[in-house]
Coordinates of all heavy atoms in Angstrom, one line a residue:
M556 N -24.2 -1.5 35.3 CA -23.2 -2.5 35.2 C -21.9 -2.0 34.4 O -22.0 -1.1 33.6 CB -23.7 -3.8 34.3 CG -24.1 -3.4 33.0 SD -24.4 -4.7 31.9 CE -26.0 -5.2 32.3
P557 N -20.8 -2.6 34.8 CA -19.6 -2.1 34.2 C -19.5 -2.4 32.7 O -20.0 -3.5 32.3 CB -18.4 -2.7 35.0 CG -19.1 -4.0 35.4 CD -20.5 -3.7 35.6
P558 N -18.8 -1.6 31.9 CA -18.7 -1.8 30.5 C -17.7 -3.0 30.3 O -16.9 -3.2 31.0 CB -18.1 -0.6 29.9 CG -17.3 0.1 31.1 CD -18.2 -0.3 32.2
P559 N -18.0 -3.8 29.2 CA -17.1 -5.0 29.0 C -15.7 -4.5 28.7 O -15.5 -3.6 27.9 CB -17.8 -5.6 27.8 CG -18.6 -4.6 27.2 CD -19.1 -3.7 28.3
K560 N -14.8 -5.2 29.2 CA -13.4 -4.8 29.0 C -12.6 -6.0 28.5 O -12.2 -6.9 29.1 CB -12.7 -4.4 30.4 CG -11.6 -3.3 30.1 CD -11.2 -2.9 31.5 CE -10.1 -1.8 31.3 NZ -9.5 -1.5 32.5
D561 N -12.5 -6.0 27.1 CA -11.8 -7.0 26.4 C -10.4 -6.7 26.1 O -9.6 -7.5 25.6 CB -12.5 -7.4 25.1 CG -13.9 -8.1 25.5 OD1 -13.9 -8.8 26.5 OD2 -14.8 -7.7 24.8
E562 N -10.0 -5.6 26.4 CA -8.6 -5.2 26.0 C -7.6 -5.7 27.0 O -7.8 -5.9 28.2 CB -8.5 -3.7 26.0 CG -9.2 -3.0 24.8 CD -9.2 -1.6 24.9 OE1 -8.0 -1.0 24.6 OE2 -10.1 -0.8 25.1
D563 N -6.5 -5.9 26.5 CA -5.4 -6.5 27.2 C -4.6 -5.3 27.9 O -4.0 -4.4 27.1 CB -4.4 -7.2 26.3 CG -4.4 -8.7 26.7 OD1 -5.3 -9.1 27.5 OD2 -3.6 -9.5 26.3
D564 N -4.7 -5.2 29.1 CA -4.0 -4.1 29.8 C -2.6 -4.5 30.1 O -1.7 -3.6 30.6 CB -4.7 -3.7 31.0 CG -5.9 -2.9 30.7 OD1 -6.6 -3.4 29.7 OD2 -6.2 -2.0 31.4
S565 N -2.2 -5.7 29.9 CA -0.9 -6.2 30.4 C 0.3 -5.6 29.7 O 1.2 -5.1 30.2 CB -0.9 -7.7 30.4 OG -1.3 -8.1 29.2
G566 N 0.1 -5.8 28.4 CA 1.3 -5.4 27.6 C 1.3 -4.0 27.1 O 0.3 -3.3 27.1
G567 N 2.5 -3.5 26.7 CA 2.6 -2.2 26.2 C 2.8 -2.1 24.7 O 3.1 -1.1 24.2
E568 N 2.7 -3.4 24.1 CA 3.0 -3.4 22.7 C 1.7 -3.4 21.9 O 0.8 -4.1 21.9 CB 3.7 -4.7 22.3 CG 5.1 -4.8 22.8 CD 5.7 -6.1 22.4 OE1 5.6 -6.5 21.3 OE2 6.3 -6.7 23.2
E569 N 1.6 -2.2 21.2 CA 0.6 -2.0 20.3 C 1.0 -1.8 18.9 O 1.9 -1.1 18.6 CB -0.3 -0.7 20.7 CG -0.8 -0.9 22.1 CD -2.0 0.2 22.3 OE1 -2.5 0.7 21.3 OE2 -2.3 0.5 23.4
E570 N 0.4 -2.7 18.1 CA 0.7 -2.6 16.7 C -0.2 -2.0 15.8 O -0.9 -2.7 14.9 CB 1.0 -4.1 16.3 CG 2.1 -4.8 17.1 CD 2.3 -6.2 16.7 OE1 2.2 -6.5 15.4 OE2 2.5 -7.1 17.5
E571 N -0.4 -0.7 16.0 CA -1.4 0.0 15.2 C -0.8 0.9 14.3 O -1.3 1.8 13.7 CB -2.4 0.7 16.1 CG -3.2 -0.3 17.0 CD -4.3 0.5 17.7 OE1 -4.8 1.5 17.2 OE2 -4.6 0.0 18.9
E572 N 0.6 0.7 14.2 CA 1.3 1.7 13.3 C 1.3 1.2 11.8 O 1.8 1.8 10.9 CB 2.8 1.7 13.8 CG 2.9 2.3 15.1 CD 2.5 3.7 15.1 OE1 3.0 4.6 14.2 OE2 1.8 4.3 16.1
E573 N 0.8 0.1 11.7 CA 0.8 -0.5 10.3 C -0.1 0.5 9.4 O -1.2 0.8 9.7 CB 0.2 -1.9 10.2 CG 1.2 -2.9 10.4 CD 0.6 -4.3 10.1 OE1 0.1 -4.5 9.1 OE2 0.7 -5.1 11.1
E574 N 0.6 0.8 8.2 CA -0.1 1.7 7.3 C -1.2 0.9 6.5 O -1.0 -0.1 5.9 CB 0.9 2.2 6.4 CG 1.9 3.1 7.1 CD 2.3 4.2 6.2 OE1 1.9 4.4 5.0 OE2 3.2 5.0 6.7
E575 N -2.4 1.4 6.7 CA -3.5 0.8 6.0 C -3.5 1.3 4.6 O -3.0 2.4 4.2 CB -4.8 1.1 6.7 CG -4.9 0.6 8.1 CD -5.1 -0.9 8.0 OE1 -5.6 -1.5 7.0 OE2 -4.7 -1.7 9.0
H576 N -4.2 0.5 3.7 CA -4.3 0.9 2.4 C -5.0 2.3 2.2 O -4.5 3.1 1.4 CB -5.2 -0.2 1.7 CG -5.4 -0.1 0.2 ND1 -5.9 -1.1 -0.4 CD2 -5.1 0.7 -0.6 CE1 -5.9 -0.9 -1.7 NE2 -5.4 0.3 -1.9
E577 N -5.8 2.6 3.0 CA -6.6 3.9 2.9 C -5.7 5.0 3.2 O -5.8 6.2 2.6 CB -7.7 3.9 3.9 CG -8.6 2.7 3.7 CD -9.3 2.4 5.0 OE1 -9.4 3.2 5.9 OE2 -9.7 1.1 5.2
N578 N -4.6 4.8 4.0 CA -3.8 5.9 4.3 C -2.7 6.1 3.2 O -1.9 7.0 3.4 CB -3.1 5.7 5.6 CG -4.3 5.7 6.7 OD1 -5.3 6.3 6.5 ND2 -4.1 5.0 7.8
A579 N -2.5 5.2 2.4 CA -1.4 5.1 1.5 C -1.5 6.3 0.5 O -2.6 6.7 0.1 CB -1.3 3.9 0.7
L580 N -0.4 6.8 0.0 CA -0.4 7.8 -1.0 C 0.3 7.2 -2.2 O 1.2 6.4 -2.1 CB 0.4 9.0 -0.5 CG -0.1 9.7 0.7 CD1 0.9 10.9 1.1 CD2 -1.5 10.4 0.4
C581 N -0.2 7.6 -3.3 CA 0.4 7.2 -4.6 C 1.9 7.6 -4.7 O 2.2 8.8 -4.5 CB -0.5 7.8 -5.7 SG 0.3 7.4 -7.3
G582 N 2.8 6.6 -5.0 CA 4.1 7.0 -5.0 C 4.4 7.8 -6.2 O 5.6 8.3 -6.3
A583 N 3.6 7.9 -7.2 CA 3.9 8.7 -8.4 C 3.4 10.1 -8.3 O 4.2 11.0 -8.5 CB 3.3 7.9 -9.6
C584 N 2.1 10.2 -7.9 CA 1.6 11.6 -7.9 C 1.5 12.1 -6.4 O 1.2 13.3 -6.3 CB 0.3 11.6 -8.7 SG -1.0 10.7 -7.9
G585 N 1.6 11.4 -5.5 CA 1.4 11.7 -4.1 C 0.1 12.0 -3.7 O -0.2 12.5 -2.5
D586 N -0.9 11.5 -4.4 CA -2.3 11.8 -4.1 C -2.8 10.6 -3.3 O -2.2 9.5 -3.3 CB -3.1 11.9 -5.5 CG -4.1 13.1 -5.3 OD1 -4.5 13.3 -4.1 OD2 -4.6 13.6 -6.3
N587 N -4.0 10.8 -2.7 CA -4.6 9.8 -1.9 C -5.2 8.8 -2.9 O -5.4 8.9 -4.0 CB -5.7 10.3 -1.1 CG -5.1 11.0 0.1 OD1 -4.9 12.3 0.1 ND2 -4.8 10.3 1.2
Y588 N -5.6 7.7 -2.1 CA -6.3 6.6 -2.8 C -7.7 7.0 -3.2 O -8.5 7.6 -2.3 CB -6.3 5.4 -2.0 CG -7.3 4.3 -2.5 CD1 -7.0 3.6 -3.6 CD2 -8.4 4.0 -1.8 CE1 -7.8 2.6 -4.0 CE2 -9.3 3.0 -2.1 CZ -8.9 2.3 -3.3 OH -9.8 1.3 -3.7
G589 N -8.1 6.8 -4.3 CA -9.5 7.1 -4.7 C -10.3 5.9 -4.8 O -9.9 4.8 -5.2
Q590 N -11.5 6.0 -4.3 CA -12.4 4.8 -4.1 C -12.6 4.0 -5.5 O -12.6 2.8 -5.4 CB -13.8 5.3 -3.7 CG -13.9 5.6 -2.2 CD -14.4 4.5 -1.4 OE1 -15.4 4.1 -1.7 NE2 -13.7 4.0 -0.4
D591 N -12.8 4.8 -6.5 CA -13.1 4.0 -7.7 C -11.9 3.9 -8.6 O -12.0 3.8 -9.8 CB -14.2 4.6 -8.4 CG -14.4 6.1 -8.3 OD1 -13.6 6.5 -7.5 OD2 -15.0 6.8 -9.0
E592 N -10.7 4.1 -8.0 CA -9.5 4.0 -8.8 C -8.8 2.7 -8.6 O -8.8 2.2 -7.6 CB -8.6 5.1 -8.6 CG -9.1 6.5 -9.0 CD -8.2 7.5 -8.8 OE1 -8.2 8.1 -7.6 OE2 -7.4 7.8 -9.6
F593 N -8.3 2.2 -9.7 CA -7.4 1.0 -9.6 C -6.1 1.4 -8.9 O -5.6 2.5 -9.2 CB -7.3 0.4 -10.9 CG -6.3 -0.8 -10.9 CD1 -6.6 -1.9 -10.2 CD2 -5.0 -0.7 -11.5 CE1 -5.8 -3.0 -10.0 CE2 -4.2 -1.8 -11.3 CZ -4.5 -3.0 -10.7
W594 N -5.6 0.5 -8.2 CA -4.5 0.9 -7.2 C -3.6 -0.3 -7.1 O -4.0 -1.4 -7.0 CB -5.1 1.2 -5.9 CG -4.4 1.9 -4.9 CD1 -4.3 1.4 -3.5 CD2 -3.9 3.2 -4.8 NE1 -3.7 2.3 -2.8 CE2 -3.4 3.4 -3.6 CE3 -3.7 4.2 -5.8 CZ2 -2.8 4.6 -3.2 CZ3 -3.1 5.3 -5.4 CH2 -2.6 5.6 -4.1
I595 N -2.3 -0.2 -7.3 CA -1.4 -1.4 -7.2 C -0.2 -1.0 -6.3 O 0.2 0.0 -6.2 CB -0.9 -1.8 -8.7 CG1 -0.2 -3.2 -8.6 CG2 0.0 -0.7 -9.3 CD1 -0.1 -3.7 -10.1
C596 N 0.2 -2.2 -5.7 CA 1.4 -2.0 -4.7 C 2.6 -2.6 -5.3 O 2.5 -3.7 -5.8 CB 1.0 -2.7 -3.4 SG 2.3 -2.5 -2.2
C597 N 3.7 -1.9 -5.3 CA 5.0 -2.4 -5.8 C 5.5 -3.4 -4.8 O 5.4 -3.2 -3.6 CB 6.0 -1.2 -5.8 SG 7.7 -1.8 -6.1
D598 N 5.9 -4.6 -5.4 CA 6.3 -5.7 -4.5 C 7.8 -5.4 -4.0 O 8.1 -6.0 -3.0 CB 6.3 -7.0 -5.4 CG 5.7 -8.0 -4.7 OD1 4.6 -7.8 -4.0 OD2 6.3 -9.1 -4.7
A599 N 8.5 -4.5 -4.6 CA 9.8 -4.2 -4.1 C 9.9 -3.2 -3.0 O 10.5 -3.4 -2.0 CB 10.7 -3.8 -5.3
C600 N 9.3 -2.1 -3.3 CA 9.3 -1.0 -2.3 C 8.0 -0.9 -1.5 O 8.0 0.0 -0.6 CB 9.7 0.3 -3.0 SG 8.4 0.9 -4.1
E601 N 7.0 -1.6 -1.8 CA 5.8 -1.7 -1.1 C 5.1 -0.2 -1.1 O 4.5 0.1 -0.2 CB 5.9 -2.1 0.3 CG 6.3 -3.6 0.3 CD 6.3 -4.2 1.7 OE1 6.3 -3.4 2.6 OE2 6.4 -5.4 1.8
T602 N 5.3 0.5 -2.2 CA 4.6 1.7 -2.4 C 3.4 1.5 -3.2 O 3.4 0.6 -4.2 CB 5.6 2.7 -3.1 OG1 6.8 2.9 -2.3 CG2 4.9 4.0 -3.3
W603 N 2.4 2.2 -3.0 CA 1.1 2.1 -3.7 C 1.2 3.1 -4.8 O 1.6 4.2 -4.7 CB -0.1 2.3 -2.8 CG -0.3 1.1 -1.9 CD1 0.2 1.0 -0.6 CD2 -1.1 0.0 -2.2 NE1 -0.3 -0.1 -0.1 CE2 -1.1 -0.9 -1.0 CE3 -1.8 -0.4 -3.3 CZ2 -1.7 -2.1 -1.1 CZ3 -2.6 -1.6 -3.3 CH2 -2.4 -2.5 -2.1
F604 N 0.5 2.8 -5.9 CA 0.5 3.6 -7.0 C -1.0 3.4 -7.7 O -1.6 2.5 -7.8 CB 1.5 3.2 -8.1 CG 2.9 3.4 -7.7 CD1 3.6 2.4 -7.1 CD2 3.5 4.5 -8.0 CE1 4.9 2.5 -6.6 CE2 4.8 4.7 -7.6 CZ 5.5 3.7 -7.0
H605 N -1.4 4.6 -8.2 CA -2.6 4.6 -8.9 C -2.3 3.8 -10.3 O -1.2 3.9 -10.8 CB -3.0 5.9 -9.4 CG -3.5 6.8 -8.2 ND1 -2.8 8.0 -7.9 CD2 -4.5 6.7 -7.5 CE1 -3.5 8.6 -6.9 NE2 -4.5 7.7 -6.6
G606 N -3.2 3.0 -10.7 CA -3.0 2.2 -11.9 C -2.7 3.2 -13.0 O -1.8 2.9 -13.9
K607 N -3.4 4.2 -13.1 CA -3.2 5.2 -14.2 C -1.8 5.8 -14.1 O -1.2 6.2 -15.2 CB -4.2 6.2 -14.1 CG -4.2 7.1 -12.9 CD -5.3 8.2 -12.9 CE -5.0 9.1 -11.7 NZ -6.2 10.0 -11.5
C608 N -1.3 6.0 -13.0 CA 0.1 6.7 -12.8 C 1.3 5.8 -13.3 O 2.3 6.3 -13.7 CB 0.3 7.1 -11.3 SG -0.8 8.5 -10.8
V609 N 1.0 4.4 -13.2 CA 2.0 3.6 -13.6 C 1.6 2.8 -14.8 O 2.3 1.8 -15.2 CB 2.5 2.7 -12.5 CG1 3.3 3.5 -11.5 CG2 1.3 2.0 -11.9
K610 N 0.6 3.2 -15.4 CA 0.0 2.6 -16.7 C -0.3 1.2 -16.5 O 0.0 0.3 -17.4 CB 1.0 2.8 -17.8 CG 1.2 4.3 -18.0 CD 1.8 4.6 -19.4 CE 1.8 6.1 -19.6 NZ 3.1 6.6 -20.0
I611 N -0.9 0.8 -15.4 CA -1.3 -0.6 -15.1 C -2.8 -0.6 -15.1 O -3.4 0.2 -14.4 CB -0.7 -1.2 -13.8 CG1 0.8 -1.1 -13.8 CG2 -1.2 -2.5 -13.5 CD1 1.5 -2.1 -14.8
T612 N -3.4 -1.5 -15.8 CA -4.9 -1.6 -15.8 C -5.1 -2.8 -15.0 O -4.3 -3.8 -14.8 CB -5.4 -1.8 -17.2 OG1 -4.8 -3.1 -17.8 CG2 -5.1 -0.6 -18.0
P613 N -6.4 -3.0 -14.4 CA -6.8 -4.2 -13.6 C -6.5 -5.4 -14.5 O -6.0 -6.4 -14.0 CB -8.2 -3.9 -13.4 CG -8.4 -2.5 -13.3 CD -7.4 -2.0 -14.3
A614 N -6.7 -5.3 -15.7 CA -6.5 -6.5 -16.6 C -5.1 -6.9 -16.7 O -4.7 -8.1 -16.7 CB -7.1 -6.2 -18.1
K615 N -4.2 -5.9 -16.8 CA -2.8 -6.2 -16.8 C -2.3 -6.7 -15.5 O -1.6 -7.7 -15.4 CB -2.0 -4.8 -17.0 CG -1.7 -4.6 -18.5 CD -0.7 -3.4 -18.5 CE -0.5 -2.9 -19.9 NZ 0.5 -1.8 -20.0
A616 N -2.9 -6.2 -14.4 CA -2.5 -6.6 -13.0 C -2.7 -8.0 -12.8 O -2.1 -8.7 -12.0 CB -3.1 -5.7 -12.0
E617 N -3.8 -8.6 -13.5 CA -4.1 -9.9 -13.3 C -3.0 -10.9 -13.6 O -2.9 -12.0 -13.1 CB -5.4 -10.2 -14.1 CG -6.6 -10.0 -13.2 CD -7.9 -10.4 -14.1 OE1 -7.8 -11.6 -14.5 OE2 -8.9 -9.8 -14.1
H618 N -2.2 -10.4 -14.6 CA -1.0 -11.3 -15.1 C 0.2 -10.9 -14.3 O 1.3 -11.5 -14.6 CB -0.9 -11.0 -16.5 CG -2.1 -11.4 -17.3 ND1 -2.5 -12.7 -17.6 CD2 -3.1 -10.6 -17.9 CE1 -3.7 -12.7 -18.2 NE2 -4.1 -11.4 -18.5
I619 N 0.1 -9.9 -13.5 CA 1.3 -9.6 -12.8 C 1.4 -10.2 -11.4 O 0.6 -10.0 -10.6 CB 1.5 -8.0 -12.6 CG1 1.4 -7.3 -14.0 CG2 2.7 -7.7 -11.8 CD1 1.5 -5.9 -13.8
K620 N 2.4 -11.1 -11.2 CA 2.5 -11.6 -9.9 C 3.1 -10.7 -8.9 O 2.7 -10.5 -7.8 CB 3.2 -13.0 -9.9 CG 2.2 -14.1 -10.5 CD 2.9 -15.4 -10.6 CE 2.1 -16.4 -11.2 NZ 2.8 -17.7 -11.6
H621 N 4.3 -10.2 -9.3 CA 5.0 -9.3 -8.5 C 5.3 -8.0 -9.3 O 6.2 -8.0 -10.1 CB 6.4 -9.9 -8.1 CG 6.2 -11.2 -7.3 ND1 5.8 -11.3 -6.1 CD2 6.3 -12.5 -7.7 CE1 5.7 -12.5 -5.6 NE2 6.1 -13.3 -6.6
Y622 N 4.5 -7.1 -8.8 CA 4.6 -5.8 -9.6 C 5.8 -5.0 -9.1 O 6.0 -5.0 -7.9 CB 3.4 -4.9 -9.4 CG 3.4 -3.7 -9.9 CD1 3.6 -3.5 -11.3 CD2 3.6 -2.6 -9.1 CE1 3.7 -2.1 -11.8 CE2 3.7 -1.3 -9.6 CZ 3.8 -1.1 -11.0 OH 4.0 0.2 -11.4
K623 N 6.5 -4.4 -10.1 CA 7.5 -3.5 -9.7 C 7.3 -2.2 -10.2 O 7.0 -2.1 -11.5 CB 8.9 -4.0 -10.2 CG 9.6 -5.0 -9.2 CD 11.1 -5.2 -9.6 CE 11.8 -6.1 -8.7 NZ 13.2 -6.3 -9.1
C624 N 7.3 -1.2 -9.5 CA 7.1 0.2 -10.0 C 8.2 0.6 -10.8 O 9.2 0.1 -10.8 CB 6.9 1.1 -8.7 SG 8.4 1.5 -7.9
P625 N 7.9 1.7 -11.5 CA 8.9 2.1 -12.5 C 10.2 2.5 -11.7 O 11.3 2.2 -12.3 CB 8.3 3.5 -13.0 CG 6.9 3.3 -13.0 CD 6.6 2.3 -11.7
N626 N 10.2 3.0 -10.6 CA 11.4 3.3 -9.8 C 12.2 2.0 -9.7 O 13.4 2.0 -9.8 CB 11.1 3.8 -8.5 CG 10.4 5.2 -8.5 OD1 10.7 5.9 -9.6 ND2 9.7 5.6 -7.5
C627 N 11.5 1.0 -9.3 CA 12.3 -0.3 -8.9 C 12.7 -1.0 -10.1 O 13.7 -1.7 -10.1 CB 11.4 -1.2 -8.0 SG 11.1 -0.5 -6.4
S628 N 11.9 -0.9 -11.1 CA 12.3 -1.7 -12.3 C 13.4 -1.0 -13.2 O 14.2 -1.6 -13.9 CB 11.1 -2.0 -13.2 OG 10.3 -0.8 -13.4
S629 N 13.3 0.3 -13.1 CA 14.2 1.1 -14.0 C 15.6 1.2 -13.4 O 16.7 1.0 -14.0 CB 13.7 2.4 -14.3 OG 13.7 3.2 -13.1
S630 N 15.6 1.5 -12.1 CA 16.9 1.6 -11.4 C 17.5 0.4 -10.7 O 16.7 -0.2 -9.9 CB 17.0 2.8 -10.5 OG 16.1 2.5 -9.5
S631 N 18.6 -0.1 -10.9 CA 19.1 -1.2 -10.2 C 19.6 -0.9 -8.8 O 19.7 -1.7 -7.9 CB 20.3 -1.9 -11.1 OG 21.2 -0.8 -11.4
K632 N 20.0 0.4 -8.7 CA 20.5 0.8 -7.4 C 19.3 1.2 -6.4 O 18.3 1.6 -7.0 CB 21.4 2.0 -7.5 CG 20.7 3.2 -8.1 CD 21.6 4.4 -8.2 CE 21.0 5.5 -8.8 NZ 21.8 6.7 -8.9
R633 N 19.5 1.0 -5.2 CA 18.5 1.3 -4.3 C 18.8 2.8 -3.7 O 19.6 2.9 -2.8 CB 18.4 0.4 -3.1 CG 17.8 -0.9 -3.5 CD 17.6 -1.8 -2.3 NE 17.6 -3.3 -2.6 CZ 17.6 -4.1 -1.7 NH1 17.6 -3.8 -0.4 NH2 17.5 -5.3 -2.0
A634 N 18.2 3.7 -4.4 CA 18.4 5.0 -3.9 C 17.5 5.4 -2.7 O 16.4 5.9 -2.9 CB 18.1 6.0 -5.1
R635 N 17.9 5.1 -1.6 CA 17.3 5.5 -0.5 C 18.3 6.0 0.6 O 19.0 5.2 1.3 CB 16.5 4.3 0.1 CG 15.0 4.6 -0.1 CD 14.3 3.7 0.9 NE 13.0 3.4 0.3 CZ 12.0 2.7 1.0 NH1 12.2 2.3 2.1 NH2 10.9 2.6 0.4
A636 N 18.4 7.3 0.7 CA 19.4 7.8 1.6 C 19.1 7.5 2.9 O 18.2 7.7 3.5 CB 19.6 9.4 1.3
Ligands
ZN306 ZN1 -1.1 8.6 -8.6
ZN307 ZN1 8.9 0.0 -6.1

């Protein structure tokens, strides 16, 4: 019997370019996400950071609604060439 084909062949739009959490690199140290490490996302630039790299603990993060990384909170200008 033929294999089940549930895929849409009609459109050419595939949205698989979204960066998953697993593929993210720490914006501070450039390292990968570690399984047992705390990890936080900047609400402004959407960069992920190790908690330890930005000195955020899970306990602290609970009180943070919109986290801003050091880059975003320190500089008022958007330095993105
Ligand atoms: Zn890091
Ligand atoms: Zn940021």
Side-chain angles (χ1 to χ4, degrees):
M556 59 165 85
K560 209 176 182 186
D561 290 324
E562 286 177 71
D563 247 12
D564 286 39
S565 51
E568 285 183 46
E569 293 199 21
E570 298 180 36
E571 293 186 34
E572 295 292 317
E573 272 190 53
E574 294 211 3
E575 294 289 333
H576 190 163
E577 304 152 24
N578 300 329
L580 297 176
C581 172
C584 69
D586 220 339
N587 282 98
Y588 169 69
Q590 281 261 308
D591 36 345
E592 289 183 273
F593 175 67
W594 194 238
I595 192 165
C596 182
C597 171
D598 225 46
C600 65
E601 297 190 346
T602 303
W603 286 92
F604 294 89
H605 294 117
K607 64 177 184 190
C608 288
V609 288
K610 301 198 175 129
I611 300 291
T612 62
K615 266 191 187 178
E617 275 188 40
H618 302 283
I619 301 174
K620 282 182 187 169
H621 299 287
Y622 172 70
K623 272 193 179 180
C624 71
N626 291 340
C627 291
S628 52
S629 67
S630 66
S631 49
K632 61 177 180 182
R633 287 189 200 172
R635 249 199 206 185

